[in-house]
Amino acid sequence: MIIELDAKHKQDLLFLKTLSPEIVNEFCRIGLEFMKSGSNRKLYIGAAQKLNVSPDKIESVIDAITHLFSESSRYLLNENDFNDSLSPLKFEEELVNQLREVYFENRKDIRNVLQEFYPHLDHYSNLEWRLDTQVANRSLGQSINPIYMLKLSTKNGNVEGKGLKEFLLQTDPNNLKHITTELESALMEAKSYENRLIMRNIK
Amino acid sequence: MKFKFCGELDAPDWLLREISTLSKITNIRIKLLTVQVINSLSSGENIDFEKVEKLVKDAGFALSDIKALVAAIHFIIFNSVKNDVDESTLSTELQQLGLPKEHCDSISRAFREHKEKLRSIFHNSTLKLPSLHSVDWRVDFLLSSNTVQEVNSPSVQLNFNIKNNSNGEISSHPFEISAKKFNVLYYELKGAKLLMEQMNQ
């Protein structure tokens, strides 16, 4: 599929026509850094002075390049699609080739960075359990009461040791049986007819 | 089929599939892999992937295959220690799953050497709630306060140091308790101690 570039985007990218290949390379590198760590105003001001344009123009060009790369990586464009998306701009062969090379080299990294924008929920890390029998408590002398104690650990993010939460829970065996039946039926749901159709279509 | 080393349950499907991959490696490598898994279980750290990769690199396995192999051996060793099976039962059951005899023997031999050590390690790492580390106490006699001229009553101050087992932190919980309430506490705790001693016999 081809990306539609809107008018403002085209205007910003047209500025690339006026630059030499090394500067285009430099801009691409700045754009990739921008995606990974955020913008660096000092670089824009320095580049603006060298090329004799305003820093805002530089910033909009960098934004345009970044947007082009992120949209291309998002849809995983192949060579022809990339060339066709850039064709309304009437760039020279060399420029298109250069941009395409940078895109292909870095699209995996870009996709990884884009993935991080998904909201981070806690996810399962570890579950420990033990089975106890309560024989007496303060109010009741002789009783036999089996109890399961669970320690659920959840993790948020990939960093070790940060965002680790532990929950100490307690349940009787009947409740545990209910929980396992519910979870098993949730797993079986993935094998149902409609869900298998969906899986086949995604692949 | 019910297997003792799985705790009298069926062996999981993925394990049955991995048996064929396990049969492809040579005997020596199985023994070294098993030793690696046992070492990681005893020290509690994650298994050292570089060493494992070095062991199986010539056989041309992909990364996912190596991970599956390690998971299969880990499952076998972990559950055999947990269910306290003896070496010969483990060997027989692995043969029933389809693993060649020499592989079963090398796994069972490594297992037998370290079984007792692993069992005591697993016993110590059972789930524990935060536990009492130490108790400090002090008995005071209150003389008077700004509200009452003569108070004249004893009071006990206790400080429980609680150790949290997952991160080893010790938190302290000091509190004060009047003589009467302390008597009730003491009486109840004596009753609980008596019950514990009865259970022990």
Side-chain angles (χ1 to χ4, degrees):
Chain A
M1 55 163 289
I2 311 182
I3 315 180
E4 289 280 332
L5 302 169
D6 63 351
K8 189 152 186 315
H9 201 181
K10 284 191 210 162
Q11 247 192 335
D12 294 331
L13 284 174
L14 280 175
F15 184 64
L16 284 177
K17 262 191 180 177
T18 67
L19 306 168
S20 67
E22 298 91 33
I23 302 194
V24 173
N25 243 339
E26 190 64 18
F27 276 7
C28 290
R29 200 186 51 83
I30 298 180
L32 293 169
E33 272 307 305
F34 170 54
M35 262 196 269
K36 290 185 198 153
S37 17
S39 66
N40 193 344
R41 272 235 69 112
K42 288 187 268 183
L43 284 176
Y44 297 162
I45 299 183
Q49 283 178 338
K50 269 195 261 176
L51 295 168
N52 237 341
V53 288
S54 74
D56 290 332
K57 185 83 181 125
I58 304 281
E59 189 173 0
S60 51
V61 172
I62 300 282
D63 283 345
I65 296 182
T66 318
H67 189 63
L68 173 68
F69 283 148
S70 70
E71 288 293 297
S72 322
S73 312
R74 182 167 150 202
Y75 296 115
L76 271 183
L77 296 187
N78 59 17
E79 279 189 35
N80 290 329
D81 289 338
F82 191 78
N83 290 347
D84 293 336
S85 318
L86 287 179
S87 61
L89 295 165
K90 306 236 187 334
F91 280 165
E92 304 137 356
E93 269 291 326
E94 268 187 37
L95 185 54
V96 175
N97 283 342
Q98 200 180 6
L99 286 173
R100 193 180 62 230
E101 269 178 35
V102 178
Y103 160 62
F104 269 109
E105 268 173 50
N106 293 304
R107 71 173 173 181
K108 223 165 168 221
D109 289 334
I110 298 177
R111 275 176 81 84
N112 281 339
V113 170
L114 287 177
Q115 264 186 345
E116 313 229 320
F117 290 119
Y118 190 77
H120 273 139
L121 300 168
D122 290 345
H123 47 255
Y124 166 84
S125 161
N126 191 16
L127 177 69
E128 288 180 29
W129 57 267
R130 93 175 183 201
L131 173 58
D132 294 328
T133 318
Q134 186 189 49
V135 295
N137 65 15
R138 183 182 178 193
S139 2
L140 189 55
Q142 312 265 350
S143 63
I144 298 284
N145 194 9
I147 288 189
Y148 275 98
M149 199 183 307
L150 306 164
K151 183 163 94 166
L152 174 65
S153 319
T154 59
K155 201 162 56 163
N156 194 333
N158 292 329
V159 187
E160 283 292 327
K162 253 178 93 176
L164 198 65
K165 279 194 256 190
E166 288 179 353
F167 301 96
L168 273 175
L169 305 166
Q170 193 175 314
T171 173
D172 55 279
N174 229 351
N175 204 9
L176 192 61
K177 195 115 211 319
H178 282 310
I179 296 176
T180 46
T181 342
E182 269 311 309
L183 291 174
E184 271 174 4
S185 73
L187 277 177
M188 291 303 290
E189 188 63 34
K191 298 197 186 132
S192 77
Y193 179 63
E194 296 103 356
N195 287 327
R196 262 185 287 158
L197 275 180
I198 296 178
M199 298 282 207
R200 249 181 270 149
N201 280 330
I202 295 179
K203 285 205 191 132
Chain B
M1 282 188 64
K2 309 272 180 214
F3 285 108
K4 197 146 189 284
F5 83 91
C6 300
E8 309 288 343
L9 296 172
D10 297 324
D13 291 334
W14 63 268
L15 185 66
L16 299 171
R17 285 196 283 269
E18 286 314 315
I19 293 289
S20 58
T21 328
L22 272 175
S23 323
K24 286 192 206 140
I25 330 182
T26 62
N27 208 356
I28 313 278
R29 292 210 177 126
I30 290 261
K31 174 122 203 229
L32 292 170
L33 266 178
T34 317
V35 169
Q36 279 296 318
V37 170
I38 291 182
N39 283 340
S40 89
L41 279 174
S42 7
S43 59
E45 289 155 9
N46 287 329
I47 192 163
D48 193 352
F49 251 115
E50 290 181 8
K51 280 199 195 142
V52 171
E53 271 184 310
K54 257 185 260 171
L55 284 174
V56 293
K57 70 177 182 231
D58 324 332
F61 282 118
L63 182 63
S64 53
D65 287 334
I66 304 179
K67 283 190 187 171
L69 282 176
V70 172
I73 298 189
H74 181 274
F75 180 86
I76 296 175
I77 301 285
F78 185 86
N79 287 48
S80 314
V81 173
K82 174 173 147 187
N83 294 311
D84 201 12
V85 297
D86 55 286
E87 173 205 7
S88 46
T89 325
L90 178 63
S91 185
T92 329
E93 289 186 346
L94 285 177
Q95 284 180 37
Q96 280 176 352
L97 280 176
L99 201 56
K101 187 165 188 310
E102 312 83 47
H103 293 74
C104 303
D105 282 338
S106 48
I107 294 185
S108 325
R109 218 172 307 133
F111 166 70
R112 182 200 54 198
E113 285 166 25
H114 299 269
K115 176 176 147 184
E116 285 311 316
K117 180 179 74 165
L118 281 178
R119 264 189 85 78
S120 65
I121 291 178
F122 283 8
H123 183 74
N124 287 338
S125 63
T126 321
L127 173 63
K128 280 200 178 70
L129 287 175
S131 60
L132 187 60
H133 181 74
S134 62
V135 179
D136 302 319
W137 61 266
R138 170 175 120 180
V139 175
D140 293 326
F141 191 77
L142 301 173
L143 294 175
S144 78
S145 79
N146 67 337
T147 44
V148 176
Q149 179 73 0
E150 288 199 15
V151 180
N152 284 348
S153 62
S155 125
V156 180
Q157 287 191 12
L158 289 169
N159 184 10
F160 286 169
N161 288 316
I162 307 285
K163 182 167 178 176
N164 187 338
N165 280 315
S166 30
N167 46 10
E169 279 173 13
I170 300 191
S171 56
S172 78
H173 302 261
F175 59 93
E176 179 183 325
I177 185 169
S178 70
K180 285 193 185 150
K181 264 219 172 139
F182 181 75
N183 262 330
V184 177
L185 176 66
Y186 178 64
Y187 175 71
E188 300 286 341
L189 287 178
K190 263 209 320 194
K193 180 179 169 199
L194 188 58
L195 271 175
M196 270 172 56
E197 278 165 4
Q198 280 175 354
M199 287 295 133
N200 252 344
Q201 288 164 358

